[in-house]
Amino acid sequence: MVNVKAGLSKQYNRLFEIVPPAAIRAVDIKLSAIPDIIRLTIGEPDFAVPMPVKEAVKTAIDNDDSHYAPAKGLLPLRQAISTYVHERFSTPVYDPESEIAVTIGASEAIYDALSALFNRGETILVPTPTFCFYQAEALRLGLNVVEINTAPNYLFTAEMFKQAMADHPEAKGLILNYPGNPTGVTYPEETLKELAQVIDQTDVLVMSDEIYGELTYGRQHKSISAYIPEQTIFISGLSKSHAMTGYRVGFIAGPAALMKMVCLAHSGVVTTAPTPMMDGALAALTVAKDAPAAMRDVYHQRRDLVLAGLAEAGFSAPKPEGAFYIFATIPDFLNQNDEEFVYELGEQAGVGAIPGTVFGDGGQGHIRISYAASTEDLTEAMRRLVAFSQAARAEQKQAQA
Amino acid sequence: MVNVKAGLSKQYNRLFEIVPPAAIRAVDIKLSAIPDIIRLTIGEPDFAVPMPVKEAVKTAIDNDDSHYAPAKGLLPLRQAISTYVHERFSTPVYDPESEIAVTIGASEAIYDALSALFNRGETILVPTPTFCFYQAEALRLGLNVVEINTAPNYLFTAEMFKQAMADHPEAKGLILNYPGNPTGVTYPEETLKELAQVIDQTDVLVMSDEIYGELTYGRQHKSISAYIPEQTIFISGLSKSHAMTGYRVGFIAGPAALMKMVCLAHSGVVTTAPTPMMDGALAALTVAKDAPAAMRDVYHQRRDLVLAGLAEAGFSAPKPEGAFYIFATIPDFLNQNDEEFVYELGEQAGVGAIPGTVFGDGGQGHIRISYAASTEDLTEAMRRLVAFSQAARAEQKQAQA
């Protein structure tokens, strides 16, 4: 253990003071201490990485493909990304040489875009509730974050964009995330098209995090870059689609003029991504490109299982059409302070969830349930939730009687 | 190919304009186009990753150790780092829980420290010639970089530090890199101790990049954190010691109060490092912890081979006591404009080197030769260099006659 010198105890970036440490992880760590808890907290698939991906990484290791890759990533991987995102998500055909970079998960992609493309003090619109990472990173970079509450439908509509621009004509950027974390809501094609049309009338740069694009139920995901390619930075990765969270492979694409700056940020932060993992990613997007479909079917069943359990327990929630989260309203016979409620639920019912408040404006009074857990765990968690809820309701009735 | 919207062509961080793209890579890419060139440009070991490391990564893949690790990295790895850096480099005993984080190479460690621990406009001292990455990142973060020319001995001495603080009393940080890139120079213990003593009288925070600590010839590396732990951020990694460049595993350690902020930066940028690579790193620091010794012996021989060749060709250079670079003065019968000279050398002699100018003040008129290439390539490159140099000398004599 090393003490810091007295004169250095305040030697840090002041912008880091205004942002709390990653709230989702903090809650998860605290809840993990409860014995026998079932954690529906983290957005982490319980599946194994598809076998062809594992084999490709091991072959790369055996072949000593262990040297520095080009800063933007292995070229065959960038070529595969270009084809894949165009075919699957209707993106424009990005040039692998100048318009795509491989990053350390979508996290680094978001950070690179925010740090490279905006100046301190510039305003970014962030529709909420959403993944709290965006606001945290933007604030640490000194950007001005304007949250726009999209409750109760959780769709950022053309009307909302027009209103936001009327209120904040200085806005330079917009962060979209769909299918959305924490709500699971995604865009009907017509709604997306209308939003793109009004954005097209402005010079607002869209950073579109479409990491859950492979996880849509009953519809094909379409990227907003299909409509407004000249002002979209497309962000995705393999963590969710191929259960490759720990492999840390993301990617980012956009117009070459902007990607030039994004790549400066990327190489300046990490030099390049790990080479063997990129060999694995190439397999994911080629021989294993249909692997997400099988997982999607299982998630679909789990979603319905959890929705039924929540309804029985008195929680209401929009039916998610993508991702693996349900954003549920806490019923009025339970503690509607979500930050208190998740600990009651953890301690008394043995079920772990994330409080809605951490996802920004519109999240109060909600919990996020991740159904990227095993079917067995989800079944038991719903049984516990229903029992907990029924007991609370009974207790309340008794008190009123 | 996607065009950027006209109104967005200047939508980027203005600080990114002041720094050119990575100069070493740019020169290397340009020289690579010359047929049959021997590139002594990049600091990349030609060795394979030690077998126990490769096996550990493959086992992690097989065992589906593919989920998110804790943000700071796998705890057993942090424990191994704590033991290793204390035993090998005399660092203090860092607490694995609160004082160590695993990063994407030393690159990310440096970036995290600069972004988390300094405010825009604060002054950082950077002794030069040195790895140009430091200045580039500091400038992109809006820091004020003061270069201090350490030529001709390439040691930043206690006297130089005192003079720098007299000239720049506002300085908040100092970046040290030893054994040094591009000079191969490292600190005699007495010189390091004297430097630490004068730093100790100030509140200057030292970021000490000791990535070449395993590569010293005829001496044991000692970390400056041994003397001034309360104001040192220790940075290292496995890229050079274990030839693991493409695995991208670095680490950073320091007082808990500062590491708390560094870890916020780290998790904000990349979330966490790739899990299987961390399993490999654990093997590197335990079962394969003596792997660097065998490589070091080979580097030692190569160094002497290159020093002899350079001397025969008329180049002078300090004898490096660490790393795998030689920083040589271009003799007066050759073009002493180093940025022109490396292309003449590439095109006319088929030998690739990096111009000294990219390493900052004091680098002009020099070239950096990396001897992390095969002995065969180094032998042929020296043969070519000597022939090129002799021809140039003969031509000059003829012109004078």
Side-chain angles (χ1 to χ4, degrees):
Chain A
M1 194 78 186
V2 183
N3 290 317
V4 70
K5 199 167 198 179
L8 284 171
S9 64
K10 294 279 174 200
Q11 181 58 43
Y12 53 78
N13 186 341
R14 285 289 161 277
L15 290 168
F16 277 50
E17 281 182 326
I18 54 179
V19 190
I24 296 176
R25 288 227 172 200
V27 172
D28 181 56
I29 289 168
K30 211 166 155 188
L31 288 173
S32 296
I34 299 171
D36 193 36
I37 193 167
I38 300 174
R39 287 152 60 219
L40 309 179
T41 43
I42 298 289
E44 167 139 44
D46 74 315
F47 294 104
V49 171
M51 196 54 77
V53 177
K54 293 164 65 168
E55 290 304 324
V57 176
K58 287 161 61 186
T59 301
I61 301 278
D62 282 334
N63 291 347
D64 293 320
D65 192 8
S66 56
H67 298 277
Y68 285 125
K72 291 173 193 164
L74 296 173
L75 184 58
L77 175 56
R78 283 182 274 146
Q79 287 163 337
I81 291 167
S82 177
T83 304
Y84 169 80
V85 299
H86 176 63
E87 287 179 1
R88 291 286 304 161
F89 307 136
S90 315
T91 71
V93 178
Y94 291 112
D95 174 23
E97 294 279 359
S98 61
E99 300 186 321
I100 296 174
V102 183
T103 55
I104 307 299
S107 312
E108 193 219 325
I110 294 158
Y111 183 85
D112 291 344
L114 289 172
S115 71
L117 299 177
F118 298 94
N119 293 278
R120 189 172 287 201
E122 287 182 342
T123 294
I124 308 277
L125 305 176
V126 182
T128 60
T130 195
F131 186 34
C132 38
F133 186 92
Y134 309 129
Q135 291 96 311
E137 288 319 299
L139 290 170
R140 280 197 201 111
L141 286 163
L143 307 185
N144 177 37
V145 174
V146 173
E147 294 193 0
I148 296 152
N149 184 348
T150 64
N153 293 326
Y154 307 132
L155 280 176
F156 184 62
T157 61
E159 277 311 308
M160 288 180 188
F161 179 75
K162 280 196 272 186
Q163 185 59 52
M165 291 307 291
D167 296 342
H168 301 279
E170 79 286 2
K172 299 283 188 197
L174 164 66
I175 297 180
L176 281 188
N177 170 227
Y178 74 97
N181 175 6
T183 66
V185 166
T186 194
Y187 283 87
E189 191 160 335
E190 200 50 40
T191 315
L192 185 66
K193 195 173 166 184
E194 283 167 15
L195 175 62
Q197 278 166 348
V198 294
I199 295 173
D200 190 26
Q201 288 157 31
T202 71
D203 283 337
V204 167
L205 181 63
V206 180
M207 282 150 295
S208 190
D209 177 359
E210 304 179 23
I211 186 90
Y212 297 101
E214 280 282 7
L215 296 177
T216 53
Y217 309 115
R219 65 169 68 188
Q220 174 82 6
H221 179 77
K222 187 163 186 178
S223 175
I224 194 168
S225 64
Y227 300 106
I228 43 172
E230 300 190 346
Q231 66 196 109
T232 300
I233 299 288
F234 171 84
I235 291 167
S236 191
L238 300 173
S239 294
K240 315 296 180 176
S241 63
H242 288 71
M244 286 168 63
T245 47
Y247 284 37
R248 314 295 309 116
V249 182
F251 37 83
I252 181 165
L258 301 177
M259 285 302 296
K260 191 178 159 192
M261 294 299 172
V262 169
C263 290
L264 277 181
H266 165 64
S267 63
V269 173
V270 300
T271 302
T272 176
T275 309
M277 293 311 181
M278 290 197 272
D279 289 298
L282 177 58
L285 294 183
T286 53
V287 289
K289 78 174 170 190
D290 296 323
M295 301 190 211
R296 183 168 52 228
D297 290 343
V298 179
Y299 287 130
H300 198 153
Q301 291 162 21
R302 291 176 183 172
R303 180 198 70 173
D304 293 342
L305 185 163
V306 175
L307 276 176
L310 283 167
E312 195 181 343
F315 290 69
S316 59
K319 186 175 181 174
E321 297 184 298
F324 40 54
Y325 305 106
I326 296 177
F327 202 58
T329 311
I330 305 169
D332 57 12
F333 58 87
L334 293 172
N335 184 349
Q336 290 188 303
N337 178 326
D338 56 290
E339 293 181 291
E340 293 171 9
F341 176 71
V342 294
Y343 295 108
E344 291 175 15
L345 186 69
E347 280 157 21
Q348 295 168 34
V351 175
I354 301 294
T357 296
V358 308
F359 301 102
D361 206 9
Q364 300 85 347
H366 293 72
I367 56 169
R368 186 192 77 174
I369 299 274
S370 163
Y371 52 94
S374 72
T375 303
E376 193 188 348
D377 275 356
L378 290 168
T379 307
E380 171 61 13
M382 288 306 110
R383 195 197 59 74
R384 293 181 185 183
L385 180 69
V386 168
F388 170 80
S389 166
Q390 285 172 345
R393 206 174 337 202
E395 201 175 307
Q396 198 184 45
K397 273 193 187 150
Q398 205 169 15
Q400 285 167 350
Chain B
M1 193 82 187
V2 183
N3 290 317
V4 70
K5 199 167 197 179
L8 285 171
S9 64
K10 294 282 175 197
Q11 181 59 42
Y12 53 79
N13 186 340
R14 286 289 161 278
L15 290 167
F16 277 50
E17 283 183 324
I18 56 180
V19 191
I24 295 176
R25 287 230 172 194
V27 171
D28 181 54
I29 289 169
K30 210 166 154 187
L31 288 173
S32 296
I34 299 171
D36 193 36
I37 194 167
I38 300 174
R39 286 151 61 217
L40 309 179
T41 43
I42 298 289
E44 166 139 45
D46 72 317
F47 294 104
V49 171
M51 196 55 78
V53 177
K54 292 163 65 168
E55 289 305 324
V57 177
K58 286 161 59 184
T59 300
I61 300 279
D62 282 335
N63 291 347
D64 292 321
D65 191 8
S66 55
H67 298 276
Y68 285 124
K72 291 173 191 163
L74 298 172
L75 184 58
L77 174 57
R78 284 181 275 148
Q79 288 164 335
I81 291 167
S82 178
T83 305
Y84 169 81
V85 300
H86 175 64
E87 287 179 0
R88 291 285 305 160
F89 307 137
S90 314
T91 70
V93 178
Y94 291 112
D95 174 24
E97 295 279 359
S98 62
E99 301 187 322
I100 295 175
V102 182
T103 55
I104 308 298
S107 311
E108 192 218 324
I110 294 158
Y111 183 84
D112 292 344
L114 288 172
S115 70
L117 300 176
F118 299 93
N119 293 279
R120 190 171 287 200
E122 287 182 341
T123 295
I124 308 278
L125 306 175
V126 182
T128 59
T130 195
F131 186 35
C132 37
F133 186 91
Y134 308 128
Q135 292 97 311
E137 288 320 299
L139 290 170
R140 281 199 200 110
L141 287 163
L143 308 185
N144 177 35
V145 174
V146 173
E147 295 194 0
I148 297 152
N149 185 348
T150 65
N153 293 326
Y154 307 131
L155 280 176
F156 185 62
T157 62
E159 277 311 308
M160 287 179 189
F161 178 76
K162 281 196 273 189
Q163 185 60 51
M165 291 307 292
D167 297 341
H168 302 279
E170 80 286 3
K172 299 284 186 195
L174 164 67
I175 298 181
L176 281 187
N177 169 228
Y178 73 99
N181 174 8
T183 66
V185 166
T186 194
Y187 283 86
E189 190 160 337
E190 202 49 41
T191 314
L192 185 67
K193 196 173 166 184
E194 283 167 16
L195 174 62
Q197 279 166 346
V198 294
I199 295 173
D200 191 24
Q201 290 157 31
T202 71
D203 283 338
V204 168
L205 180 63
V206 180
M207 282 149 294
S208 192
D209 177 0
E210 305 180 23
I211 186 88
Y212 297 101
E214 280 281 6
L215 296 177
T216 53
Y217 309 116
R219 65 169 67 188
Q220 174 82 6
H221 179 78
K222 187 163 187 177
S223 175
I224 194 167
S225 63
Y227 301 107
I228 44 173
E230 299 190 348
Q231 66 195 110
T232 300
I233 299 287
F234 171 83
I235 292 167
S236 191
L238 300 173
S239 295
K240 316 294 182 177
S241 63
H242 288 71
M244 286 168 63
T245 47
Y247 284 36
R248 315 293 310 117
V249 182
F251 37 85
I252 181 164
L258 300 178
M259 284 303 295
K260 190 178 158 193
M261 294 299 173
V262 169
C263 290
L264 276 182
H266 165 65
S267 62
V269 174
V270 301
T271 302
T272 175
T275 309
M277 294 310 181
M278 291 197 272
D279 289 296
L282 177 58
L285 295 182
T286 52
V287 287
K289 78 174 169 188
D290 296 323
M295 301 189 211
R296 182 167 53 228
D297 290 344
V298 179
Y299 288 130
H300 199 152
Q301 290 163 21
R302 291 175 181 172
R303 179 198 70 173
D304 293 342
L305 185 164
V306 174
L307 277 175
L310 283 167
E312 195 181 340
F315 289 68
S316 59
K319 189 174 179 172
E321 294 183 302
F324 40 53
Y325 305 106
I326 296 178
F327 204 59
T329 312
I330 305 168
D332 58 10
F333 59 87
L334 293 173
N335 184 350
Q336 289 188 303
N337 178 325
D338 55 290
E339 294 182 292
E340 294 171 7
F341 176 71
V342 292
Y343 295 109
E344 291 175 15
L345 186 69
E347 280 157 21
Q348 294 169 33
V351 175
I354 300 294
T357 297
V358 308
F359 301 102
D361 207 9
Q364 302 84 350
H366 293 74
I367 57 171
R368 185 191 78 173
I369 299 275
S370 163
Y371 53 93
S374 72
T375 304
E376 194 188 346
D377 276 354
L378 290 168
T379 306
E380 171 60 14
M382 289 305 112
R383 195 197 61 73
R384 292 182 185 183
L385 179 69
V386 169
F388 171 79
S389 165
Q390 284 173 344
R393 206 173 338 203
E395 202 175 303
Q396 196 185 46
K397 272 192 188 152
Q398 206 171 12
Q400 284 166 348

